[in-house]
Amino acid sequence: MSATLALLLAAQAIMPQSTGPTAPQQTDPAAPTSNAPPLTGEGERETVRDPATAFSSGRTDAAPAEQSAAPRGFTRWQRDNAIGKTLRGLKADGVTLALDVVDNVAGNPVGGVRQGVRESHWVSGAADLDLDRLLGWSDTRVHVQGAWFTGESLGRDVIGNSISFQQTWRPVSGPRLTQLNIEHDFGRLNLMVGRAAVNSYFNNSPLNCVFMTNTSCLTAYGGISDIGITAFPNSSWAAKARYAVDQRRYVQIGVFEYNNALNATGKGGLDFSLGKGTGVLIAGEAGYQTSFAQERLPRRYKLGFYLNTDGGSSLYYDRNGGSSALTGLPRIALGGRRVGLYAMVDQTIARAAGTSKRNLALFARGYWNVGNVQQLDWFASAGFVKTGTFKGQDNDTIGFIVSNTHFSDQQIDYLRDLRAKAGGTGSPHHDEIVGEINYGWAALPGLRILPNVQYVINPDPIYASRRTTNIPSAIVLGVRIDVKLGQLFGG
């Protein structure tokens, strides 16, 4: 992983700063009015950001000139339909509404415990309230989001492994309040208080959700399984502070209540009890990031940590010090802390001439467990996103990612003992490798269709615990469909 990071940094240093005639610096229409980065209380919401805005300040929807070509009749309809006019009017008054639908379908014609097809989807509604326009409270916003998840998992139900091939699948289905918070921007300092998820603000990038594999979206794999970080759509009470050292550098820290009981079936994110959790989650991050308005080949670097004061449970030992897989006794609770470190790099290495946002960006991610022994020792991934493909398809993407999930000795020993109990021999592999290549077709503004091929080597048998041999490597064919209804209607 360190070699990959070094190569990306070296590439940035030696790449020419232009792939064509040098263009004058353009003013980004969404650039912040203060010397801080854009307001950050909204966070990432696990939907595909328009790729053309991945290195733009603030915006998540592509401007018309950045979108793939749309039929003139559709553009006129967006301009004239009543819903679009209403949404634009509300936005001008300080109320931005969004309604998104994301669907994943995946099947494995080869490999796994057996072959099959599974579908999962979610519907998300969000409202951002600009209290400056509504009440005269400058630089203050309220963020509200709810989502409904449902469907089945190809990884768990068919292939037998724990890493999902569908980023829309969640083990607890149904409706959930995912976000309810308020933020205020003091210039360099931004504060957020309310209900939120850790992975909406830490260790994320707009490039992460240009994929269907759950090793990428919203955050790189590891922190959820090892640290127990609250992850979209789950939320908890939280407070976060972000300080802009300058327009490129920032530091941020967040404190989140850890109460896993709030994520159970039937809670729906509506249990607002405070102080009843088993620990506190702390996340910290230092970052350097630029936009198209600041340099020709923008970049994003982040270093951070997670800490959970709830030490979690042993992956292997029962209360008597024996193998819980063999004795059937509950695994013992651990003292100490769960701690993880992470690093990420996004680096644009090529860009079309002039002010075009057609570009090629490389990325790399790394996670290391440095606290109590948990499911993973480390995780690493790398790949690229090519934004702008064929003529007139400036917002289409080609994406590639490959990842390696390295399971801890205790996790492998536990699975080995389960296999022995079922009559098998040997141990599963420590490393599970998942790759994905996809094409993101921006069919219309607000409609993206993402056919993809994933390949998993050494699927873990966490959901095939009675299997007596290794699970065969699998090919997964999938399609992801994102509908952003607000953008589709021209809002």
Side-chain angles (χ1 to χ4, degrees), residues 272-286:
F272 294 131
S273 58
L274 178 63
K276 296 183 179 180
T278 58
V280 175
L281 281 162
I282 301 172
E285 183 177 281

Side-chain angles (χ1 to χ4, degrees), residues 21 53 94 105 113 159 171 215 244 272 306 358 362 368 426-427 434 437:
T53 71
V105 180
V113 172
I159 294 177
T215 62
F272 294 131
Y306 306 116
R358 296 166 64 99
L362 304 183
W368 301 267
S427 300
V434 179
I437 187 166

Side-chain angles (χ1 to χ4, degrees), residues 200-246:
S200 290
Y201 305 96
F202 293 86
N203 194 21
N204 61 44
S205 160
L207 299 181
N208 284 357
C209 286
V210 191
F211 297 93
M212 195 166 102
T213 171
N214 215 34
T215 62
S216 179
C217 187
L218 266 173
T219 57
Y221 204 67
I224 298 172
S225 60
D226 271 8
I227 311 299
I229 65 171
T230 52
F232 177 90
N234 299 319
S235 61
S236 65
W237 287 111
K240 182 181 73 71
R242 173 172 172 144
Y243 180 76
V245 179
D246 54 35

Side-chain angles (χ1 to χ4, degrees), residues 1-2 5 203 215 219-229 302-308 337-344 364-382 403-408:
M1 180 62 190
S2 59
L5 293 175
N203 194 21
T215 62
T219 57
Y221 204 67
I224 298 172
S225 60
D226 271 8
I227 311 299
I229 65 171
K302 297 184 181 183
L303 294 171
F305 73 88
Y306 306 116
L307 184 151
N308 191 343
R337 303 287 185 264
R338 284 182 275 178
V339 184
L341 304 177
Y342 65 82
M344 58 165 284
R365 313 281 186 255
Y367 163 84
W368 301 267
N369 180 20
V370 297
N372 286 349
V373 176
Q374 290 294 291
Q375 186 179 66
L376 310 183
D377 284 339
W378 56 267
F379 168 88
S381 66
S403 66
N404 187 7
T405 303
H406 184 85
F407 291 92
S408 66

Side-chain angles (χ1 to χ4, degrees), residues 259-440:
N259 186 351
N260 204 39
L262 298 182
N263 304 331
T265 302
K267 290 290 186 179
L270 298 174
D271 185 338
F272 294 131
S273 58
L274 178 63
K276 296 183 179 180
T278 58
V280 175
L281 281 162
I282 301 172
E285 183 177 281
Y288 177 97
Q289 57 188 29
T290 58
S291 69
F292 286 123
Q294 294 169 309
E295 61 181 347
R296 181 151 190 84
L297 299 176
R299 46 199 159 144
R300 183 181 293 113
Y301 309 141
K302 297 184 181 183
L303 294 171
F305 73 88
Y306 306 116
L307 184 151
N308 191 343
T309 61
D310 181 321
S313 300
S314 171
L315 265 292
Y316 184 78
Y317 296 105
D318 64 20
R319 62 174 179 264
N320 299 320
S323 168
S324 63
L326 297 178
T327 65
L329 296 174
R331 289 176 279 194
I332 190 171
L334 298 174
R337 303 287 185 264
R338 284 182 275 178
V339 184
L341 304 177
Y342 65 82
M344 58 165 284
V345 173
D346 295 342
Q347 177 65 66
T348 310
I349 64 167
R351 181 179 172 190
T355 60
S356 172
K357 293 182 174 61
R358 296 166 64 99
N359 71 87
L360 174 62
L362 304 183
F363 64 83
R365 313 281 186 255
Y367 163 84
W368 301 267
N369 180 20
V370 297
N372 286 349
V373 176
Q374 290 294 291
Q375 186 179 66
L376 310 183
D377 284 339
W378 56 267
F379 168 88
S381 66
F384 68 82
V385 176
K386 172 72 169 66
T387 302
T389 56
F390 306 105
K391 183 178 181 180
Q393 298 301 121
D394 288 357
N395 211 27
D396 283 11
T397 58
I398 298 173
F400 171 78
I401 185 173
V402 62
S403 66
N404 187 7
T405 303
H406 184 85
F407 291 92
S408 66
D409 288 343
Q410 287 193 22
Q411 176 67 85
I412 295 301
D413 290 347
Y414 179 78
L415 296 172
R416 176 204 62 202
D417 288 356
L418 285 178
R419 180 182 293 185
K421 194 173 183 179
T425 59
S427 300
H429 294 280
H430 274 277
D431 296 286
E432 181 170 353
I433 299 169
V434 179
E436 176 181 336
I437 187 166
N438 63 49
Y439 186 89

